[in-house]
Amino acid sequence: MTQLEAARQGIVTDLMRQAAAAEGIDAEILRARMAEGTAIICHNVKRKNGSPLAVGKGLRTKINANIGTSKDDTSIDKELEKARVAVRAGADAIMDLSTGGPVDEIRAAIIAETGVCIGSVPLYQAAVDKVLRQKKALVDMTVDDIFNGVIKHLDDGVDFITVHCGVTRAVVERMKNEGRLMDVVSRGGSFTVEWMAHNNAENPLYEYFDRLLEIVKPYDATLSLGDGFRPGCLADATDRAQIHELIVLGELTQRAQEAGVQVMIEGPGHVPLNQIEANITLQKRLCHGAPFYVLGPLVTDIAPGYDHITCAIGGTLAAAAGADFLCYVTPSEHLRLPTVEDVHEGVMACRIAAHAADIVKGVPGAIDKDIAMARCRKNLDWEGQFNLAIDPDKARRLRAESGVDEEHGACTMCGEFCAYQVMSDGSRRRKAAAG
């Protein structure tokens, strides 16, 4: 019995209790939301070192960090360090997107290294095996190659897999008829589009969706239905191809849930601020409230080197409107493979967005730290401020670099004219005069 099947039968499982405890909510609340498909627990039954991660309605907004090699950088040690840094910075999940070097060993090492939720894109496995190992063309992948990649990742213990099931021939035709500035920017989406064109065939992950469900169900892993037609620039946002694919994903969501398989939906992409809320509303309506996992969204196309900021802006609005899971973007987006430092910056920016949105959504306890921080600032309690900070190490470092000692109450922004200091000194004088 899968977690979804148990939830629909009114059974609260041990995993539900663990995940609910981490959220600070009653396990029955989580069970009920899972039963209606608005919340999920990401946890592959093969994982021995992983904790269940709850994602969805009324829960804390989660953060994912993408890592992984390319043919230009195949270091396992470097990717493991990125995984460690992402977890220390507060990422709830890590996606291994490796396409270069010993990808099987890299994935196994990342899974063994951390107890956080792990995601992947199995289609990359099939592509790497075909191109790099068999020295054939990507479009020569067979249907069995594609499904064997899924099995391999699930056997390794991956908790959720991105599968581009909504990339169909009909959606491709719709994209061509409307015209797009950047066509397909999803790597998995582009693989699928080219495979369909070369083989004059439908997407196997769509055509044989029931086979996919039969494979996934015994592992009780989560299907993350990928957005192969996500907009790669503002000009392509919310077009017919994107929405057609979303309609397909809504239909597949129902089929998966009926089969007892948990689902979340992936979303855009590059989206102007004034379209973000509409995108969230459409997804929630078309996919019956299934958890929504968004990449960004990025609210401008002209900030290379600062895309962690454009991501945080869009992610805040998306999560406040109902997105449940944010995929970080690093300063290196569109430029290079991220460094360890980029990973840290990306997670921190995304955590700020998630927390700001959780305050808006009224997630229990979300605003408590902000209130505590305000008290510490009023009292010039620097140690308290550091402990409450989203990045304590950076906060400590910046204050130390200013040259003030701990006996000095104010910071160098205002010095003796610090508003808190002025008010505090005035209060003491008034009390002394009254005494």
Side-chain angles (χ1 to χ4, degrees):
M1 183 184 299
T2 67
Q3 293 296 313
L4 177 54
E5 289 172 328
R8 287 184 165 175
Q9 293 186 29
I11 300 170
V12 176
T13 66
D14 288 342
L15 285 180
M16 293 178 200
R17 292 188 184 93
Q18 291 178 46
E23 293 294 317
I25 63 171
D26 188 273
E28 173 57 28
I29 295 175
L30 178 58
R31 182 211 63 79
R33 291 172 184 167
M34 291 176 65
E36 68 185 12
T38 59
I40 58 173
I41 288 180
C42 288
H43 185 74
N44 186 329
V45 297
K46 301 274 285 189
R47 279 294 296 278
K48 303 304 180 187
N49 65 330
S51 300
L53 180 67
V55 179
K57 181 180 177 181
L59 306 176
R60 178 177 60 84
T61 304
K62 303 305 187 298
I63 302 299
N64 173 70
N66 289 340
I67 62 174
T69 59
S70 71
K71 72 179 185 65
D72 297 313
D73 193 336
T74 62
S75 170
I76 293 180
D77 291 341
K78 194 176 294 185
E79 296 312 309
L80 285 177
E81 182 59 21
K82 290 178 187 178
R84 296 184 193 107
V85 166
V87 173
R88 283 200 302 269
D92 300 289
I94 292 172
M95 284 198 80
D96 172 32
L97 306 182
S98 294
T99 57
V103 294
D104 293 336
E105 289 84 351
I106 293 167
R107 182 172 57 257
I110 291 171
I111 292 173
E113 173 73 23
T114 176
V116 302
C117 181
I118 301 293
S120 70
V121 185
L123 186 61
Y124 295 174
Q125 178 85 40
V128 167
D129 286 345
K130 187 63 63 176
V131 176
L132 300 183
R133 295 176 181 170
Q134 299 178 31
K135 307 301 180 184
K136 295 184 178 180
L138 185 149
V139 293
D140 291 330
M141 290 185 294
T142 67
V143 173
D144 285 341
D145 288 336
I146 293 170
F147 281 102
N148 286 339
V150 172
I151 294 169
K152 171 62 178 170
H153 284 221
L154 294 174
D155 267 340
D156 285 348
V158 170
D159 298 301
F160 69 93
I161 57 170
T162 292
V163 280
H164 298 88
C165 304
V167 178
T168 67
R169 301 181 82 180
V171 183
V172 172
E173 190 64 24
R174 182 147 282 154
M175 178 189 71
K176 291 179 178 177
N177 289 340
E178 180 171 13
R180 258 192 173 193
L181 181 59
M182 290 192 66
D183 301 322
V184 177
V185 300
S186 159
R187 186 159 54 185
S190 69
F191 290 179
T192 306
V193 169
E194 289 307 305
W195 187 94
M196 290 190 296
H198 178 81
N199 292 281
N200 192 28
E202 185 55 273
N203 176 2
L205 293 172
Y206 174 76
E207 185 173 4
Y208 306 110
F209 189 67
D210 289 337
R211 177 179 175 182
L212 177 63
L213 297 178
E214 290 172 1
I215 290 171
V216 172
K217 186 174 180 179
Y219 299 93
D220 206 2
T222 297
L223 281 183
S224 187
L225 296 180
D227 52 338
F229 289 92
R230 68 173 180 264
C233 62
L234 301 190
D236 293 337
T238 325
D239 68 355
R240 293 198 296 264
Q242 179 193 335
I243 302 307
H244 186 167
E245 180 184 29
L246 188 57
I247 292 171
V248 174
L249 297 185
E251 294 167 348
L252 297 180
T253 295
Q254 287 184 289
R255 288 173 58 184
Q257 291 173 343
E258 288 167 2
V261 175
Q262 298 184 95
V263 176
M264 62 181 169
I265 311 298
E266 296 187 14
H270 292 236
V271 182
L273 274 173
N274 63 333
Q275 295 182 28
I276 290 176
E277 186 173 357
N279 270 259
I280 307 301
T281 300
L282 274 172
Q283 183 276 334
K284 292 289 184 177
R285 176 66 186 91
L286 294 173
C287 301
H288 302 277
F292 199 17
Y293 171 36
V294 295
L295 177 61
L298 305 185
V299 297
T300 180
D301 299 330
I302 63 168
Y306 298 92
D307 275 327
H308 59 310
I309 297 175
T310 65
C311 168
I313 294 169
T316 302
L317 187 54
D324 308 286
F325 203 170
L326 302 181
C327 185
Y328 86 163
V329 169
T330 76
S332 292
E333 185 77 5
H334 305 110
L335 299 172
R336 66 177 185 186
L337 205 65
T339 65
V340 170
E341 293 75 20
D342 290 333
V343 168
H344 176 84
E345 289 296 306
V347 173
M348 285 300 172
C350 211
R351 281 187 62 199
I352 293 168
H355 179 72
D358 284 348
I359 293 171
V360 174
K361 290 193 284 191
V363 172
I367 201 170
D368 292 353
K369 276 193 172 184
D370 297 80
I371 294 171
M373 177 66 87
R375 292 194 176 106
C376 288
R377 284 181 173 154
K378 181 178 181 180
N379 296 324
L380 296 174
D381 176 1
W382 293 100
E383 190 60 33
Q385 292 179 57
F386 297 148
N387 291 333
L388 290 164
I390 202 164
D391 190 347
D393 292 342
K394 186 171 185 177
R396 289 179 187 277
R397 175 175 60 79
L398 293 180
R399 176 159 171 81
E401 288 174 355
S402 73
V404 297
D405 57 39
E406 289 310 308
E407 298 300 318
H408 190 87
C411 73
T412 56
M413 176 70 76
C414 298
E416 63 184 299
F417 299 112
C418 169
Y420 305 136
Q421 192 72 60
V422 169
M423 294 295 291
S424 179
D425 291 345
S427 179
R428 283 196 295 270
R429 285 195 301 270
R430 287 189 292 274
K431 287 181 179 179

